């Protein structure tokens, strides 16, 4: 059995009586871009810090390349971190900051300079080598922090919300810098963030955490389309979550009774624990709902009334209600809804393909 | 009603008066140190280096200056080391009774000097080092350490906690982190603390008078000359002490305030 490059096995972390991380289990493959996402206090940063050796797990085992890491001190590990605050040394200039890791490993001075300059060039900041840190812009500091972490050519790079202090347009540019860098270097990136757009834009796989528990691990697409729990469904994207009961079940699909009437859903891989009569929660992504002025006689069609809209750039979020005041959220491009000539209170039809209906496997009480 | 302009002028005059009040005695002392008359009275006699010559040729003054410098250098070094360690403990660790620990560390300057001096005299005689130069060094270290700690602590408080973790993360051991991150970051405050504790030691009279014995420091010698007779020599020594102390304090201030720490946000 070959295990991943990094393995978390039943790892927990407690601070006094407070539990930061419940037993978590997951693996990270070599060369993977993994994002750990969750709201603040969910344990994502603690998880990352345990990997860096800045926190010691209360129980369980962390392995890197099959070697137990728990007892290894932070400075004995090859897991450099890019900090949210960047944590650049203010009393050192740019190149001295980058050289730090090499100097600590006893690399000879001229070699330090040579390798650091190479990384400054790669990050396109070699002209600032002798500047002091406070003379740099936010984006330039970001690049210094990256160069400083990567100069020792580690197998794994850890990133703790590194883009959270940047302007939005700079964030998008740094995202492409990071993904390109990760592809070129072929090393593992473990990226902690609270931002769904950052995680989904960059990561191969995303770990979603809540209150010290892993809610779901999967590709951004899997998580977006097929959330594993109600928490994930509410946390990612804009989803309609509809409760109901299974009325009929066959090999490929099921028919459910819900507040919106009868909804047909395809059965997707991995979800075969259903029984007729059982409770289900169906997830319909807001951008998968089709709207039409006339009845189309498609499956899963309901009549709804236009209540409100929220305009954010090219995408519009529309709020509808059916006759029983059940809310349906729909996301469309502005140009798509123009022909519908929506006015408040007008009635139109909505339908969605059974293939786009997912159900949450376990019904979480919370 | 007073208009803005007159308020500004009143405040300026007030400020000037405060400065006159503070500096007049010192200026007087400096002026009389160059005055040829035996007694400090107006009108002034003529300009002379006479008193400085006398001080320069007096071996007892030179002994006192040497003692003061040795004590000031040693005590400032020890006080700064102790102050740094206390400040770093405060920065790095959380423990029970930490507030009590800090209060205790800051205690010495709050005790009346004369009481501290008496206590030290009693204690040093018990130890059998009273009258030795060591006694004065220890006493001034105790007096200076809280100042050093307060200054260095102020600087460490401005340090991003991640900086230390970042150094570990980049492969620096705890000692290497101390050497390459903590001390460089705190360096301006360390220099500042050295200068200030040196100034404190150089100036201090009460404890020195009690414990110095034959190793008299400058303030003690000044008092002894003054007790004997009115001698303008003390103006000369006083001016020298004033110049030294002010230089140290100004250096301390420069390091404390012009090197603003850069925090990265």
């Amino acid at each position: 059995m070959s295990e991943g490059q990094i393995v978390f096995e039943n790892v927990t972390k407690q601070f006094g009586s407070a539990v930061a991380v419940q037993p978590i289990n997951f693996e990270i493959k070599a060369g993977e871009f993994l994002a750990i996402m969750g709201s603040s206090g969910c344990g994502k940063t603690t998880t990352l810090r345990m990997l860096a050796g800045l926190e010691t797990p209360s129980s369980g085992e962390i392995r890197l390349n099959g070697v137990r890491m728990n007892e290894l001190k932070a400075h004995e590990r090859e897991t450099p971190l890019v900090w949210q605050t960047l944590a650049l040394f203010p009393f050192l200039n740019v190149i001295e900051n980058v050289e730090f890791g090499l100097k600590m490993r006893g690399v000879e001075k001229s070699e330090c300079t040579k390798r650091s300059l190479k990384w400054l060039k790669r990050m396109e900041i070699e002209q600032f080598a002798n500047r002091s840190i406070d003379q740099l812009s936010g984006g330039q500091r970001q690049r210094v922090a990256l160069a400083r972490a990567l100069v020792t050519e580690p197998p794994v790079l850890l990133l703790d919300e590194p883009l959270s202090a940047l302007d939005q347009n700079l964030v998008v540019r740094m995202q492409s810098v990071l993904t390109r860098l990760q592809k070129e270097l072929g090393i593992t990136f473990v990226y902690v963030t609270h931002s769904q757009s950052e995680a989904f834009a960059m990561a191969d796989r995303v770990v979603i955490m809540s209150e010290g528990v892993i809610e779901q691990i999967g590709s951004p697409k899997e998580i977006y389309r097929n959330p594993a729990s109600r928490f994930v469904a509410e946390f990612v994207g804009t989803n309609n979550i509809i409760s109901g009961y299974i009325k009929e079940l066959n090999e490929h699909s099921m028919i459910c009774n819900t507040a919106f009437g009868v909804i047909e859903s395809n059965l997707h891989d991995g979800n075969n624990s259903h029984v007729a009569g059982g409770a289900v929660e169906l997830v319909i992504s807001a951008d998968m709902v089709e709207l039409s002025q006339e009845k189309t006689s498609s499956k899963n069609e309901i009549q709804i009334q236009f209540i409100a809209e929220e305009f954010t750039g090219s995408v519009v979020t529309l709020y509808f209600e059916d006759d029983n005041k059940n809310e349906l959220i729909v996301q469309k491009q502005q140009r798509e809804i123009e022909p519908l000539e929506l006015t408040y209170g007008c009635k139109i039809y909505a339908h969605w393909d059974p293939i786009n209906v997912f159900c949450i496997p376990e019904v979480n009480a919370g | 009603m007073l208009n803005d302009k007159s308020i500004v002028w009143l405040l300026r005059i007030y400020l000037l008066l405060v400065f006159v009040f503070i500096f007049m005695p010192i200026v007087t002392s400096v002026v009389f140190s160059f005055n040829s008359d035996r007694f400090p009275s107006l009108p002034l006699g003529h300009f002379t280096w006479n008193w400085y010559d006398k001080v320069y040729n007096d071996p007892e003054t030179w002994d006192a200056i040497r003692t003061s410098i040795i004590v000031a250098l040693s005590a400032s070094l020890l006080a700064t080391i102790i102050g740094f360690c206390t400040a770093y403990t405060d920065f790095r660790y959380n423990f029970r009774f930490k507030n009590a620990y800090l209060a205790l560390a800051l205690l010495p300057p709050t005790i009346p000097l004369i009481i501290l001096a008496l206590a030290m005299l009693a204690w040093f005689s018990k130890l059998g080092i009273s009258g030795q130069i060591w006694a004065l060094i220890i006493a001034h270290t105790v007096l200076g350490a809280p100042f050093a700690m307060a200054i260095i602590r102020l600087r460490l408080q401005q340090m991003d906690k991640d900086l230390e973790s970042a150094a570990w993360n980049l492969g620096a051991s705890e000692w290497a982190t101390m050497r390459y991150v903590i001390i460089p970051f705190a360096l301006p405050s360390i220099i500042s603390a050295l200068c200030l504790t040196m100034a404190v030691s150089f100036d201090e009279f009460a404890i020195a008078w009690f414990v110095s014995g034959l190793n008299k420091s400058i303030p003690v010698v000044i008092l002894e000359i003054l007790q004997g007779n009115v001698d303008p020599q003390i103006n000369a020594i006083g001016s020298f002490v004033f110049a030294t102390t002010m230089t140290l304090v100004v250096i301390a201030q420069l390091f404390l305030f012009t090197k603003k720490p850069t925090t990265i946000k």
Side-chain angles (χ1 to χ4, degrees), chain A residues 301-317:
Chain A
E301 184 156 60
I302 56 170
Q303 196 187 31
I304 47 175
Q305 192 178 7
F306 182 44
I307 299 297
E309 70 175 325
E310 201 180 316
F311 180 67
T312 50
S314 62
V315 177
V316 194
T317 308

Side-chain angles (χ1 to χ4, degrees), chain B residues 113-224:
Chain B
L113 273 180
I114 203 77
I115 301 203
L116 203 61
L118 275 169
M120 292 225 174
L121 179 63
W123 180 240
F124 289 147
S125 340
K126 267 235 155 61
L127 290 177
I129 58 168
S130 180
Q132 291 178 28
I133 201 162
W134 277 109
L136 200 50
I137 291 173
I138 293 172
H140 282 179
T141 302
V142 170
L143 202 64
F147 293 109
M149 180 216 162
I151 292 166
I152 297 168
R153 185 162 167 251
L154 210 64
R155 174 75 180 171
L156 287 179
Q157 273 172 351
Q158 291 162 334
M159 184 164 137
D160 179 358
K161 279 235 171 196
D162 287 343
L163 236 47
E164 203 177 26
S165 310
W168 301 334
N169 181 253
L170 290 167
S173 66
E174 297 248 356
W175 284 111
T177 303
M178 178 59 78
R179 160 99 171 68
Y180 292 106
V181 176
I182 309 287
I183 291 179
F185 186 90
L187 196 60
S189 67
I190 291 173
I191 294 173
S192 186
L194 274 171
C195 292
L196 265 185
T197 48
M198 220 181 281
V200 165
S201 164
F202 212 71
D203 272 355
E204 198 283 325
F205 163 71
I207 300 176
W209 193 73
F210 274 81
V211 304
S212 62
L214 289 174
N215 295 295
K216 291 173 208 151
S217 68
I218 293 178
V220 177
V221 167
I222 293 179
L223 185 82
E224 284 188 349

Side-chain angles (χ1 to χ4, degrees), chain A residues 245-249 254-255 267 272-280:
Chain A
Y245 291 94
I246 301 174
K247 194 172 137 198
E248 278 175 52
L249 195 64
M254 60 181 179
I255 313 277
L267 286 177
N272 40 21
S273 58
H274 301 296
V275 286
V280 282

Side-chain angles (χ1 to χ4, degrees), chain A residues 49 52 54 74-75 77 79-81 83 85-91 100-101 103-105 133-134 141 148-149 165, chain B residues 155 160 162-174 176-177 180-182 184-185 260-265:
Chain A
R49 289 175 66 91
L54 299 165
H75 71 267
R77 303 190 188 197
T79 47
L81 180 59
W83 303 75
T85 57
L86 299 185
L88 296 171
F89 303 122
F91 45 86
F100 191 88
K103 196 169 148 193
M104 290 305 123
R105 281 167 180 76
I133 297 300
D134 54 11
R141 284 177 193 182
R148 184 179 73 169
Chain B
R155 174 75 180 171
D160 179 358
D162 287 343
L163 236 47
E164 203 177 26
S165 310
W168 301 334
N169 181 253
L170 290 167
S173 66
E174 297 248 356
T177 303
Y180 292 106
V181 176
I182 309 287
F185 186 90
K260 276 267 184 283
T262 38
T263 39
I264 297 153
K265 265 285 149 202

Side-chain angles (χ1 to χ4, degrees), chain A residues 278-293:
Chain A
V280 282
E281 287 194 89
L282 301 173
V283 177
I284 302 153
S285 177
D287 58 345
M288 286 298 169
V289 179
E290 305 295 336
L291 297 173
S292 61
Q293 267 176 328

